[in-house]
């Protein structure tokens, strides 16, 4: 997706919030929210479209299209700026707090003159919110939790946004004459879920041309620091990117050093010291005389220390060194191992693309199978009916075989209700090839109720996959408070796969959860939960998270051949 799509999506979502804050038409705010989502998920770069072309995007009418054209041509929208001016800056600051909506933010400003996070914290601690209509102890707790989430996130960004920038920088610098290697390192190479800044390495004899090119990139808003060995910029998106140029014969040592993690590097340096060696970003040296032993590749450095090459996603000092010394490192699942996506949506519910477009995009990825799993009726805003889902099934069956190398599965994403019940009765559920079940509401039930709710869903004979199990949204909503060890045990007992939701805003399960669940013998499904064709490539982030959880092909059901997958879906429950 082109970056203009993301910029327009952010602008329209801001305008929707501003309309809501200022007491504008709720339907207008909702219209702009829908348009924002549609443009954000549109596969074509919107900067290439005129007003007429924009109106062909679902939920984008003439007025919205005109504003998008105005923004793309001038960098501003008069209507948005006028609305911004009518809303105090402090209220807009409050909007950054997860779990605090626009109306409540305006109420806080109008009734208590609160216009900053610090003032809001004081008001909560002084219990001044409780006298406001629509506020109470529960609201206070939600606000405190939202502020904690915001402060914890700090200036870190989602892995997808960091990857977009890193890929662009690596691509641009790779074209500079004299480049013998270029890659990103750091937490991004280790596939952490959020990124503070991006580290890019270049192997070259001369650093000058790369430092000059780096500081002159069109998306470099500011050169923070400049030197012969390291230059740092801040991009137009506010992300810091650090560039280091290494001698080609130090490439492996530099890549190892700057990939980290710090704890992993300390462990391997300890091994080097015991062997009379010293490891730095320039190579592995003998302590006795300073002679370089190896440096050009990570593989040869690890080998000299008696270790196999350790994949970056494992380098967190969670036992990978000991496993390597025992020759027991797992053969990690790779994105190329994924044979299909088992959780996706279409415009029949809240997706942005048609069934045919989603199927075509999946086939282009070379999948052997692909599941469509639109929402079931208990998620009322989706307006699903028995007739709609059965009509979709008929269309799926007709499309099955259109792409000769890919089989289609017709499924659904069930809603796990407050007591663990799901949408349709058993006889209706039996008609689906696959049922994913997920929690979408009642997140604040007691720990016991949430645990029983998830376990009951796992015990349903038709539920094959527990979708986005903790329900978290990174930086926006915490995971639910359930006894997940009990849930993992139930999944292992009932043959229910745990989803690793690859959407970068979710990455749910987390790597720590995966490591725990794996010990119970649970199987996993890495799915994108795609709501548009542009979401299907999110699979890379789900696979990266699976790797951080030490998963192999055998652990992940959608790496299996279709026949084996079907046996699992039928499973012990059948």
């Amino acid at each position: 997706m082109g970056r203009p799509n993301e910029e327009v999506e952010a602008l329209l979502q801001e305008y929707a919030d501003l309309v809501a804050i200022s007491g504008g038409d709720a339907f207008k705010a909702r219209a702009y929210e829908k348009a924002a989502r549609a443009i954000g998920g549109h596969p074509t770069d919107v900067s290439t479209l005129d007003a007429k072309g924009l109106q062909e995007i679902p939920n984008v009418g003439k007025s919205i299209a005109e504003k998008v054209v105005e923004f793309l041509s001038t960098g501003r929208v008069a209507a948005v700026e006028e609305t911004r001016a009518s809303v105090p800056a402090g209220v807009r600051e409050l909007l950054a707090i997860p779990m605090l909506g626009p109306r409540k933010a305006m109420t806080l400003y109008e009734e208590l003159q609160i216009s900053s996070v610090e003032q809001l914290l004081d008001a909560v601690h002084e219990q001044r919110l409780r006298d406001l209509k629509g506020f109470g102890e529960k609201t206070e707790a939600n606000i405190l939790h939202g502020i904690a989430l915001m402060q914890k996130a700090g200036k870190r960004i989602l892995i997808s946004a960091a990857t977009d920038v890193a890929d662009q920088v690596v691509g641009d610098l790779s074209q500079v004459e004299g480049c013998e290697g270029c890659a990103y390192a750091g937490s991004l190479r280790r596939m952490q879920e959020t990124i503070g800044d991006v580290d890019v390495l270049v192997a070259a004899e001369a650093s000058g041309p790369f430092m000059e090119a780096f500081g002159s990139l069109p998306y470099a808003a500011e050169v923070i620091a400049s030197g012969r060995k390291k230059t740092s910029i801040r991009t137009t998106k506010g992300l810091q990117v650090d560039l280091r140029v290494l001698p080609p014969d130090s490439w492996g040592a530099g890549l190892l050093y700057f990939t980290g993690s710090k704890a992993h590097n300390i462990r391997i340096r300890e091994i080097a010291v015991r062997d009379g060696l010293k490891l730095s970003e320039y190579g592995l040296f003998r302590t006795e005389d300073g002679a370089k032993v190896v440096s050009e590749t990570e593989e040869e450095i690890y080998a000299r220390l008696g270790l196999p090459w350790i994949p970056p996603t494992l380098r967190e000092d969670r036992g990978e060194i000991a496993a390597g010394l025992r020759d027991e490192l797992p053969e990690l699942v790779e994105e190329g191992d994924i044979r299909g996506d088992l959780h996706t949506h279409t415009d029949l519910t809240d997706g942005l693309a048609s069934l045919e477009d989603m199927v075509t995009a999946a086939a282009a990825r070379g999948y052997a199978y692909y599941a469509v799993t639109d929402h079931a009726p208990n998620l009322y805003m989706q307006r699903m009916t028995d007739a709609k889902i059965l009509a979709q099934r008929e269309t799926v069956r007709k499309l099955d075989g259109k792409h000769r190398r890919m089989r289609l599965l017709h499924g659904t994403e069930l809603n796990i209700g407050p007591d663990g019940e799901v949408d349709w009765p058993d006889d209706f559920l039996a008609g689906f090839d696959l049922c994913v079940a997920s929690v979408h509401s009642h997140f604040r039930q007691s720990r016991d109720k949430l645990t029983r709710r998830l376990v009951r869903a796992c015990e349903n004979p038709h539920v094959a996959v527990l979708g986005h199990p903790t329900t978290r949204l990174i930086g926006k909503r915490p995971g639910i408070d359930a006894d997940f060890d009990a849930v993992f045990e139930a999944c292992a007992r009932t043959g229910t796969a745990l989803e690793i939701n690859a959407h970068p805003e979710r990455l749910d399960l987390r790597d720590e959860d995966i490591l725990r669940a794996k010990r119970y013998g649970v199987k996993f499904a890495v799915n994108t939960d795609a709501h548009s064709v542009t979401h299907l490539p999110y699979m890379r982030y789900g696979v990266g998270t699976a790797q951080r959880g030490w998963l192999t092909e055998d652990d992940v059901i959608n790496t299996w051949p279709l026949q084996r997958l079907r046996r699992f879906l039928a499973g012990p429950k059948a």
Side-chain angles (χ1 to χ4, degrees), residues 342 368-371 396-397 400 406-411 431-434 464 495 557-558 560-574:
L342 301 180
Y369 45 81
Y370 176 74
V396 167
R397 300 302 184 225
D400 190 18
M406 187 177 77
R407 299 303 306 273
L408 297 181
L409 303 176
H410 187 238
F432 290 100
D433 298 317
L434 165 71
I557 65 172
N558 50 321
W560 299 350
L562 181 59
Q563 187 175 7
R564 183 183 177 191
L565 174 65
R566 286 191 184 278
R567 287 198 300 269
F568 178 87
L569 297 178
K573 298 181 182 186

Side-chain angles (χ1 to χ4, degrees), residues 160-227:
S160 53
T163 301
D164 285 345
V165 173
D167 284 343
Q168 191 170 14
V169 172
V170 169
D172 289 340
L173 294 182
S174 295
Q175 304 304 311
V176 177
E177 186 176 355
C179 179
E180 296 188 30
C182 187
Y184 55 77
S187 57
L188 182 57
R189 189 173 179 228
R190 301 197 315 275
M191 297 293 284
Q192 285 196 329
E193 62 193 35
T194 60
I195 309 300
D197 51 51
V198 171
D199 297 293
V200 175
L201 305 180
V202 164
E205 296 292 351
S207 64
F210 296 92
M211 299 306 184
E212 183 179 350
F214 183 55
S216 301
L217 292 171
Y219 42 89
E222 174 189 5
V223 177
I224 302 169
S226 180

